[in-house]
Amino acid sequence: MEKLEVNLTKLFDKLLEYMPLPPEEAENGENSGSEEPKLQFSYVECLLFGFHQLGKKLPDFLTDKLNAERLKDFKIRLQYFARGLQVYIRQLRAALQGKTGVALKTDENKIKVVALKITNNINVLIKDLFHNPPSYKSTVTLSWKPVQKAEAAGQKRSTSEDTTSSSPPKKLTLLPKRDARQIYNPPSGKYSGNIGDFSYEQRGGFSGRGRGWGGRGNRSRGRLY
């Protein structure tokens, strides 16, 4: 148990390096001239998932009264990160809206699909950790894990249709269409030019600038945890 706490502390400290505090505000309520942080979503997904997995084995890590300031600081970081995350998720969904087949196979859209998986995973984990006390119940499929494609399911059902003439063809074709909508038709949203802020680097993974949500005027928008 002692070794677990040591490892969890190291992981937590590393996670904090990638989850910045909100920029300081000037007296007029606007952001100060300090540079906006660059958010490394790929790193945060990995580190936050690891912390979430180990944290369930040591739930007192964040709730111990001796570490009250640790939890307070962590929740401030989670809330700031979540605010920016929701902005990116809306932009990614809008950018991918209605795209299917060949359109999703371009390099640009492949990056956006992976980015959406990463940001959705982080969003789920942050919601869990923002409970009082922090929860460790949610599960996610990590963005680098292989997933079963709807097309594979469609091919399997097509083969079944050929070999089983008694099966109504209408029922066999409805399921893959439904699956395709779930993957390729995310909720619509207003497209933003900020989509250009996304980048995918060979080592750093998916990242973006913390622009547009740090000011006071944006704090009332979107759901905060």
Side-chain angles (χ1 to χ4, degrees), residues 18-75:
Y18 293 95
M19 298 199 72
L21 288 166
E24 295 182 1
E25 292 186 349
E27 293 182 358
N28 61 0
E30 298 296 331
N31 284 349
S32 64
S34 58
E35 184 180 355
E36 293 168 336
K38 185 176 181 180
L39 306 181
Q40 299 285 354
F41 294 103
S42 300
Y43 290 153
V44 171
E45 180 196 21
C46 182
L47 292 168
L48 197 61
F49 177 78
F51 176 78
H52 190 269
Q53 292 296 300
L54 290 180
K56 69 177 62 176
K57 299 179 181 179
L58 196 65
D60 293 339
F61 180 81
L62 289 175
T63 58
D64 193 316
K65 292 182 179 180
L66 297 176
N67 295 320
E69 286 301 315
R70 171 193 283 170
L71 179 58
K72 181 180 178 181
D73 174 83
F74 190 43
K75 284 199 170 184

Side-chain angles (χ1 to χ4, degrees), residues 119-152:
T119 49
N120 279 330
N121 285 342
I122 296 174
N123 198 40
V124 169
L125 296 175
I126 287 180
K127 284 183 179 180
D128 234 18
L129 294 171
F130 214 83
H131 280 94
N132 189 20
S135 172
Y136 302 92
K137 296 180 180 179
S138 296
T139 58
V140 297
T141 301
L142 295 169
S143 60
W144 62 85
K145 293 281 187 178
V147 294
Q148 184 177 6
K149 296 183 179 180
E151 288 83 359

Side-chain angles (χ1 to χ4, degrees), residues 20 23 34-41 80-81 83-85 87-88 91 194-201 205-214:
S34 58
E35 184 180 355
E36 293 168 336
K38 185 176 181 180
L39 306 181
Q40 299 285 354
F41 294 103
Y80 174 66
F81 204 96
R83 185 180 297 118
L85 201 66
V87 172
Y88 280 126
Q91 292 174 353
N194 290 338
I195 201 74
D197 289 343
F198 304 145
S199 62
Y200 193 90
E201 301 170 1
F206 175 60
S207 64
R209 284 287 179 184
R211 182 187 306 169
W213 65 85

Side-chain angles (χ1 to χ4, degrees), residues 71-218:
L71 179 58
K72 181 180 178 181
D73 174 83
F74 190 43
K75 284 199 170 184
I76 291 174
R77 295 171 187 267
L78 287 175
Q79 187 167 348
Y80 174 66
F81 204 96
R83 185 180 297 118
L85 201 66
Q86 290 169 19
V87 172
Y88 280 126
I89 288 174
R90 287 195 298 270
Q91 292 174 353
L92 287 166
R93 284 176 173 171
L96 293 171
Q97 174 67 26
K99 290 183 172 62
T100 59
V102 177
L104 285 173
K105 294 180 180 179
T106 65
D107 290 341
E108 181 181 358
N109 284 330
K110 283 181 180 178
I111 291 173
K112 290 175 183 176
V113 169
V114 174
L116 187 58
K117 291 179 183 178
I118 292 172
T119 49
N120 279 330
N121 285 342
I122 296 174
N123 198 40
V124 169
L125 296 175
I126 287 180
K127 284 183 179 180
D128 234 18
L129 294 171
F130 214 83
H131 280 94
N132 189 20
S135 172
Y136 302 92
K137 296 180 180 179
S138 296
T139 58
V140 297
T141 301
L142 295 169
S143 60
W144 62 85
K145 293 281 187 178
V147 294
Q148 184 177 6
K149 296 183 179 180
E151 288 83 359
Q155 290 176 359
K156 183 176 180 180
R157 293 189 184 96
S158 178
T159 302
S160 176
E161 182 180 359
D162 293 338
T163 56
T164 310
S165 58
S166 60
S167 300
K170 180 179 290 186
K171 292 183 179 180
L172 290 172
T173 57
L174 281 177
L175 286 174
K177 286 183 179 178
R178 181 194 64 192
D179 292 345
R181 284 199 300 270
Q182 291 176 346
I183 294 176
Y184 298 129
N185 262 341
S188 62
K190 185 177 179 182
Y191 181 82
S192 169
N194 290 338
I195 201 74
D197 289 343
F198 304 145
S199 62
Y200 193 90
E201 301 170 1
Q202 186 67 25
R203 295 183 179 179
F206 175 60
S207 64
R209 284 287 179 184
R211 182 187 306 169
W213 65 85
R216 182 178 61 181
N218 284 320

